[in-house]
Amino acid sequence: QVQLVESGGGLVQPGGSLRLSCTASGTIFSLNDMGWYRQAPGKERELVASITSGGSTNYVDSVKGRFTMSRDNAKTTVYLQMNSLKPEDTAVYYCNANIRRYYSSGTTYTYWGQGTQVTVSA
């Protein structure tokens, strides 16, 4: 079994910063592409940032220049550094990972974390 556990959410004032972490555990041969999604009340879940196994990143336009995604493969962890936070960044943030579990099989599986709440408010 594989689990993704997020942490780092909370309440922050506009202009503040938070760093989210997502750690994968279980039977893992390799972590492939990973992503951070968010879902605000009444809205669809959207991809905020993604990172390839090689470390290349992509961001939704609304967070470019403010959010930075990184990964530490040795720790099977990805991070989302969020700076200059705005009220519209308020949402539940979810970690997503495509994982190859076994050396003997090239099949990858997609996993989701349980989500962590980020609230940006004065």
Side-chain angles (χ1 to χ4, degrees):
Q1 191 58 281
V2 171
Q3 282 190 319
L4 299 181
V5 178
E6 301 117 330
S7 62
L11 173 64
V12 64
Q13 292 186 341
S17 298
L18 286 173
R19 188 175 85 150
L20 305 183
S21 299
C22 171
T23 299
S25 63
T27 303
I28 298 170
F29 174 72
S30 65
L31 295 177
N32 296 343
D33 295 357
M34 299 186 73
W36 284 100
Y37 289 71
R38 67 185 178 188
Q39 187 166 21
K43 295 188 176 181
E44 293 188 353
R45 189 174 297 189
E46 68 168 345
L47 176 62
V48 175
S50 63
I51 189 166
T52 67
S53 57
S56 297
T57 54
N58 278 291
Y59 303 93
V60 68
D61 286 347
S62 60
V63 308
K64 284 181 180 177
R66 300 189 297 122
F67 289 11
T68 302
M69 186 173 183
S70 60
R71 64 190 294 162
D72 184 334
N73 289 329
K75 296 181 179 179
T76 62
T77 298
V78 291
Y79 305 95
L80 186 67
Q81 178 67 44
M82 305 186 294
N83 298 328
S84 303
L85 282 161
K86 304 176 181 180
E88 51 263 43
D89 295 317
T90 296
V92 178
Y93 284 71
Y94 297 91
C95 177
N96 169 277
N98 293 304
I99 295 174
R100 179 179 170 184
R101 297 192 63 193
Y102 308 103
Y103 169 77
S104 59
S105 171
T107 302
T108 60
Y109 301 87
T110 299
Y111 296 91
W112 290 90
Q114 81 287 353
T116 185
Q117 177 70 47
V118 171
T119 303
V120 185
S121 175

